[in-house]
Amino acid sequence: MIGSLIKRIIDPNERMLTALRPRVEEINELEPEIERLSDDELRARTEAFRQHVQEHIEPFQAELDRLKRERDEIRDPGERQRHEQEIERAESSLKDETQAVLDDLLVEAFAVVREGSKRVLEMRPFDVQLMGGMVLHEGKVAEMKTGEGKTLTATMPLYLNALTGRGVQLVTTNDFLVRWQAEWMGKLFEFLGMTTGYLQHGMRSDERLAMYRRDITYVENSELGFDYLRDNMAGSPERLVLPDLYYCIIDEVDSILIDEARTPLIISGTPEQSEQFYEEIDRIVSRLRGTREQPEEGPDGKKIEPDADYWVDEKFHQVTLTDEGQAKVEKALRIDNLEHPEYIEIKHHIQNSLKAHGLYHRDHDYVVKEGEVMIVDEFTGHLQPGRRYSDGLHQAIEAKERVRIQQARQTVASITYQNFFKLYDKLSGMTGTAKTEEDEFRTIYGMPVVVIPTNEPVIREDHPDVVYKTEEAKYRGVVDEIIDCYVREQPVLVGS
């Protein structure tokens, strides 16, 4: 008992969990009362919650709208800047009031969602799932072990924050999960009087607008990011599809906000460049001889280049021509000096072709399917139809693989996942593995990580990571482990 008390005092994660438990008890105490409500009475609670929220935030919203209208009429730069500061204060006040009124409703709203889940999904959220939902509502990261029910946990903060009428999104990593989660959890939301939508690749803009106007929208991270870029390129307000970026829960948050944080989302335009140009560049580069040997430093301090036309530095993802290789390229192109400013574009395409041959490998970085070069996602291993490398790199790979070269693209709009998701008023996430990256979550996004305990004690033994010196040794180790499981007739899931 003393040890448990010391842990609650010293361990910051335990302190956060201790702060949540009184509200869990309040929700449990409310359960018998909510159980006695009919379906219609339970659904009526949603409308009552909405009215309560609007009554509290409407004056703050009206003040903010007034300030924005006045700003649009101000011409003096100094006066406009002062007005912008007033708008920022009004936005902050609206945000604080919204959070406060939702906090007041949390216990009753979570109790309503729990009862709805029992009736529609035949699942009663556990106390630890209530705690996970509270963590998500507070704009933090909930670390919950696989199998603890993150999908159901997210329904409670989604419902609570959707009461504002501003629309909320649950973001996940692929199209299948988007549709599956929306159709499954959508039954619960519809029962409680809320609308649910989901985005799929290839939807028209009018379909996207309709889905984003629902109370709760499930969407893949890339689809959401590209809709933001397209909205920023729209010629008129009528063509915008995204609602305010108010509240978002990110599933597999470590994958999206850490692993892929700096992955740029790019919308491209079409520059003028002929198909024959890429083929000619590839013919020249394909005759060159590459090496992975690094330049050595000679006795005089000068670098001794390897005996090759170019060398590949996989660590820094670079390919560099040697002096001998550059001389060959200049001779083939009949130019005096590739470094001359007038040949900067040609040098860029030579560099892309070198990367295509030295750094990008078929059936690893991309596959050739039905005469098309298709990118393989480096994190999930999934094919990425419609996604293309920018600035002529994709065309260089197409020339290398002797498939039809599609028109080159140049960047028109771009944003990283890190910068995009920081635009939300309130951001939260859930995953099975986040505590090891808590420093990044706190520093970059201001999101602490709370480890939610399992509903039942874990009987599985989690072994430490095994590290191999070489890729071949790693694969042999994996195969040995699979064979060992097979012999013992133990099912095994192999992730990649």
Side-chain angles (χ1 to χ4, degrees):
M1 184 174 176
I2 295 175
S4 176
L5 179 62
I6 292 173
K7 184 179 179 183
R8 285 202 298 271
I9 295 171
I10 296 175
D11 184 354
N13 192 81
E14 193 61 32
R15 285 204 303 272
M16 286 188 276
L17 294 177
T18 301
L20 299 175
R21 288 191 176 100
R23 290 195 130 180
V24 172
E25 292 171 8
E26 289 181 52
I27 296 168
N28 290 336
E29 289 169 4
L30 200 58
E31 191 168 13
E33 177 189 329
I34 299 296
E35 281 178 331
R36 290 192 291 270
L37 298 176
S38 68
D39 288 355
D40 289 338
E41 288 173 330
L42 192 65
R43 195 175 298 112
R45 290 294 178 98
T46 299
E47 191 55 40
F49 292 155
R50 279 183 170 136
Q51 290 179 4
H52 179 78
V53 171
Q54 289 305 317
E55 286 171 5
H56 281 76
I57 68 173
E58 197 172 321
F60 294 87
Q61 185 65 58
E63 174 65 10
L64 179 60
D65 293 341
R66 182 187 68 79
L67 289 169
K68 287 182 176 179
R69 285 194 302 271
E70 290 179 357
R71 176 195 59 190
D72 295 339
E73 298 173 2
I74 296 173
R75 295 290 175 264
D76 179 70
E79 182 63 28
R80 192 178 179 87
Q81 187 175 1
R82 285 191 292 273
H83 218 72
E84 288 288 358
Q85 293 172 349
E86 286 188 48
I87 289 174
E88 286 179 15
R89 285 193 290 271
E91 287 174 337
S92 179
S93 297
L94 174 61
K95 185 176 177 180
D96 292 344
E97 180 64 21
T98 302
Q99 186 69 16
V101 70
L102 293 181
D103 287 345
D104 290 341
L105 284 176
L106 186 145
V107 169
E108 195 174 349
F110 274 36
V112 165
V113 177
R114 174 189 263 181
E115 183 60 28
S117 177
K118 285 157 56 179
R119 298 184 191 186
V120 178
L121 304 176
E122 298 182 354
M123 294 189 293
R124 179 185 179 275
F126 300 124
D127 288 358
V128 290
Q129 289 175 300
L130 299 178
M131 295 167 73
M134 293 176 200
V135 167
L136 294 173
H137 168 65
E138 292 170 356
K140 299 173 182 174
V141 175
E143 177 178 298
M144 301 176 69
K145 287 190 180 295
T146 301
E148 288 297 298
K150 291 189 286 291
T151 302
L152 184 61
T153 297
T155 58
M156 292 173 280
L158 286 172
Y159 172 86
L160 177 60
N161 283 272
L163 295 171
T164 60
R166 296 178 66 183
V168 299
Q169 292 82 46
L170 186 137
V171 176
T172 190
T173 51
N174 64 61
D175 256 13
F176 167 74
L177 286 176
V178 164
R179 183 167 186 166
W180 172 69
Q181 291 188 16
E183 290 179 345
W184 188 20
M185 296 297 119
K187 297 173 188 174
L188 168 59
F189 294 127
E190 299 291 340
F191 173 77
L192 293 174
M194 285 198 168
T195 54
T196 311
Y198 62 88
L199 270 292
Q200 294 282 273
H201 182 72
M203 278 186 170
R204 303 188 310 272
S205 59
D206 59 328
E207 294 174 308
R208 291 173 177 273
L209 177 61
M211 289 299 177
Y212 282 124
R213 283 185 171 174
R214 307 280 174 91
D215 293 314
I216 297 154
T217 307
Y218 287 75
V219 57
E220 187 183 357
N221 52 320
S222 60
E223 293 292 325
L224 183 65
F226 280 121
D227 281 334
Y228 172 77
L229 291 179
R230 282 189 285 266
D231 273 7
N232 275 271
M233 296 168 60
S236 63
E238 294 75 30
R239 296 178 63 187
L240 302 177
V241 299
L242 275 184
D244 290 342
L245 300 179
Y246 161 56
Y247 177 64
C248 170
I249 298 176
I250 302 177
D251 192 11
E252 304 300 342
V253 66
D254 52 338
S255 173
I256 295 172
L257 291 191
I258 303 296
D259 298 341
E260 296 189 58
R262 298 192 179 182
T263 300
L265 297 169
I266 297 170
I267 290 181
S268 304
T270 307
E272 295 181 8
Q273 203 61 266
S274 70
E275 185 177 317
Q276 292 76 16
F277 176 82
Y278 294 103
E279 292 173 345
E280 180 61 30
I281 293 292
D282 184 75
R283 273 195 292 272
I284 294 169
V285 170
S286 62
R287 298 191 193 109
L288 301 180
R289 187 164 52 90
T291 181
R292 279 168 171 71
E293 292 180 21
Q294 303 298 304
E296 297 178 358
E297 193 169 299
D300 56 356
K302 292 184 178 180
K303 284 189 176 180
I304 302 173
E305 292 186 332
D307 183 22
D309 299 316
Y310 63 90
W311 55 275
V312 179
D313 188 340
E314 289 189 325
K315 181 181 179 182
F316 293 101
H317 207 66
Q318 292 179 344
V319 185
T320 307
L321 280 172
T322 62
D323 291 342
E324 183 180 346
Q326 181 164 325
K328 288 183 180 179
V329 170
E330 290 168 348
K331 183 178 180 181
L333 291 171
R334 297 189 179 91
I335 61 177
D336 296 330
N337 183 5
L338 187 62
E339 301 298 329
H340 195 280
E342 70 175 296
Y343 301 125
I344 188 169
E345 188 175 348
I346 292 175
K347 183 182 178 183
H348 171 73
H349 288 291
I350 290 286
Q351 194 66 32
N352 273 339
S353 188
L354 288 168
K355 284 183 178 180
H357 283 271
L359 291 172
Y360 290 83
H361 308 294
R362 183 170 178 164
D363 297 330
H364 183 273
D365 301 293
Y366 64 88
V367 298
V368 178
K369 186 177 180 182
E370 298 175 358
E372 183 181 348
V373 172
M374 203 170 290
I375 297 173
V376 175
D377 189 286
E378 64 179 305
F379 301 103
T380 65
H382 296 155
L383 298 183
Q384 302 286 298
R387 188 171 151 192
R388 294 174 62 81
Y389 297 117
S390 61
D391 294 329
L393 177 58
H394 210 95
Q395 286 68 31
I397 296 172
E398 288 169 334
K400 166 192 163 186
E401 296 294 343
R402 304 289 190 269
V403 299
R404 185 175 70 84
I405 298 172
Q406 299 182 30
Q407 282 188 310
R409 317 295 286 173
Q410 64 183 12
T411 300
V412 175
S414 177
I415 194 169
T416 62
Y417 285 123
Q418 182 181 110
N419 289 334
F420 169 68
F421 282 109
K422 285 167 74 174
L423 296 173
Y424 270 90
D425 284 357
K426 184 166 65 170
L427 184 64
S428 63
M430 52 189 186
T431 181
T433 51
K435 197 64 178 176
T436 53
E437 290 143 337
E438 182 170 23
D439 286 346
E440 290 95 324
F441 281 121
R442 278 184 179 275
T443 304
I444 301 170
Y445 304 100
M447 298 164 64
V449 175
V450 182
V451 181
I452 306 298
T454 54
N455 184 55
E456 296 287 347
V458 178
I459 60 173
R460 179 186 66 238
E461 184 180 353
D462 290 332
H463 295 284
D465 292 342
V466 178
V467 181
Y468 295 91
K469 285 186 176 180
T470 65
E471 191 173 38
E472 182 183 355
K474 179 180 75 172
Y475 288 139
R476 287 184 181 278
V478 171
V479 172
D480 289 343
E481 187 70 25
I482 293 169
I483 292 172
D484 184 51
C485 291
Y486 176 77
V487 169
R488 289 185 280 110
E489 298 185 353
Q490 177 188 350
V492 56
L493 173 66
V494 183
S496 65

